[in-house]
Amino acid sequence: DCVVGLEENVLGNVSIFPNPSNGTSYIDIENPNGYTLRMNLVDITGKTVTNNILLNSTRNEINTKNLHPGLYFLNIVNEHNDRAVYKLMVK
């Protein structure tokens, strides 16, 4: 579920799976407007663990192998600085 929101008509449907992640997760973004989307992965302390990953396809792989178990936030931003935040659990 989206925590903070871009309207659905900006990103379209977004799904993150598997969630919780066991090493690799995928994020599917419809992106009907064809915006350039960047993603940062942030841990619960607010520390950015991955920065400026370009989401350039409908299915994007997220490598979580080197992350400590716990809750992370996926911040997705388009070129208009519209932002959406999703939760990702890492086992």
Side-chain angles (χ1 to χ4, degrees):
D1 285 351
C2 187
V3 183
V4 176
L6 277 174
E7 292 175 29
E8 200 171 274
N9 61 0
V10 175
L11 282 183
N13 290 321
V14 175
S15 58
I16 301 166
F17 59 93
N19 191 359
S21 178
N22 54 6
T24 304
S25 282
Y26 298 92
I27 180 166
D28 282 1
I29 302 178
E30 215 170 40
N31 196 12
N33 300 312
Y35 286 134
T36 300
L37 301 174
R38 296 192 178 275
M39 181 189 74
N40 298 334
L41 197 55
V42 178
D43 70 15
I44 56 169
T45 68
K47 180 179 163 222
T48 301
V49 291
T50 61
N51 204 6
N52 273 332
I53 296 170
L54 191 60
L55 303 178
N56 55 5
S57 59
T58 19
R59 173 158 297 171
N60 299 272
E61 188 174 303
I62 304 167
N63 182 342
T64 60
K65 289 177 182 67
N66 299 326
L67 300 179
H68 295 292
L71 178 64
Y72 292 84
F73 298 97
L74 295 172
N75 296 312
I76 299 172
V77 181
N78 69 15
E79 65 258 37
H80 304 295
N81 278 325
D82 297 320
R83 176 180 306 270
V85 180
Y86 297 89
K87 292 178 185 172
L88 174 67
M89 284 298 296
V90 174
K91 286 185 187 172

